[in-house]
Amino acid sequence: MIIKKQNLKKVITIGLISFTISTILPIKVFAIWNQDNNGWWYSEGSEYSIGWKQIDGEWYYFGNNGYMKTGWFQDKNDKWYYFNNNGSMAKNTCINGYTLDSNGIWINNTQNNLVDSEKDKKIAEDYVEFLGYTITKNLGEVDSFILDENKVSSAEWKNKWEVQKVKPNEYLGKQINIYNFKVKNHPLEKQYNVEVYVYIMISEGKVIGGYSIPDNGYTGGVYSIDGKL
């Protein structure tokens, strides 16, 4: 087949333009949802989402470990949000009597307060995840008391206070709530080859300490949160 010189130039020009465009345009990275026994995460190529992410018009929040949040969540600015079971942020609605505005933020007023124990539970859960541990079981609140001299000097609590960075006298007369979590990725897991129970101590809405115990019938003294005596 004979191609005229003018037509040949057109073919070459079109080919060069097509090649240039294909080298300039970025290669599309496929974004997909993933799931394992610990929950859902969202990946784009080899990277997974952390923090806020808008997907198909809905807002989601992913923890530092990449897993999607559900239920109540408090951000670093002390604002509360609620994420549905599918992970999407709730907005312009009322959840269990608590009103959320158009930005998904809980409207805080005297008639719309989250129960303190629920807030403390969430604070404890977020703190455990902040430490890098993977929660396999959330056992909730396991103890609550007003700290007094008898509690400080008792044999049970003497060892628990020894592994804290705070002094018990600072919290005399104050309420302390204890929340328990069974976790993986804890330093004691390698030492005992079992999962570990972590206990988080909260007073006045803040984490004040905690301790950990191996899940193997261990009967010795408690360890600190990070597995030290």
Side-chain angles (χ1 to χ4, degrees), residues 161 164-168 170-171 201 208-209:
W161 283 112
Q164 308 306 322
K165 295 181 179 180
V166 299
K167 302 297 183 182
E170 299 176 19
Y171 296 93
M201 303 162 57
I208 64 171

Side-chain angles (χ1 to χ4, degrees), residues 137-149:
K137 193 172 184 179
N138 188 333
L139 299 169
E141 184 181 291
V142 294
D143 200 2
S144 180
F145 54 85
I146 302 296
L147 186 64
D148 57 25
E149 293 286 357

Side-chain angles (χ1 to χ4, degrees), residues 187-217:
L188 293 178
E189 184 177 353
K190 293 182 179 179
Q191 182 176 341
Y192 289 94
N193 196 31
V194 293
E195 291 185 306
V196 178
Y197 287 105
V198 171
Y199 296 79
I200 303 299
M201 303 162 57
I202 291 184
S203 181
E204 298 180 326
K206 296 180 180 179
V207 175
I208 64 171
Y211 50 94
S212 53
I213 302 174
D215 180 27
N216 64 346

Side-chain angles (χ1 to χ4, degrees), residues 4-56:
K4 293 183 179 180
K5 187 175 181 180
Q6 185 177 5
N7 291 336
L8 179 60
K9 287 182 179 180
K10 289 183 179 180
V11 171
I12 294 174
T13 301
I14 294 173
L16 288 173
I17 292 173
S18 299
F19 174 77
T20 302
I21 293 175
S22 65
T23 56
I24 292 175
L25 291 176
I27 299 174
K28 185 176 181 180
V29 177
F30 290 99
I32 58 172
W33 284 98
N34 307 270
Q35 184 186 32
D36 61 15
N37 291 334
N38 294 318
W40 287 88
W41 73 94
Y42 189 76
S43 62
E44 296 178 89
S46 60
E47 303 291 331
Y48 59 83
S49 297
I50 294 178
W52 288 100
K53 180 73 175 178
Q54 189 175 38
I55 304 171
D56 297 330

Side-chain angles (χ1 to χ4, degrees), residues 163-180:
V163 297
Q164 308 306 322
K165 295 181 179 180
V166 299
K167 302 297 183 182
N169 290 344
E170 299 176 19
Y171 296 93
L172 287 173
K174 297 182 179 180
Q175 182 169 327
I176 296 178
N177 302 320
I178 313 293
Y179 295 85
N180 187 13

Side-chain angles (χ1 to χ4, degrees), residues 78-89:
D78 294 329
K79 293 181 179 179
W80 284 89
Y81 300 83
Y82 185 85
F83 295 93
N84 300 306
N85 290 336
N86 65 0
S88 63
M89 183 191 74

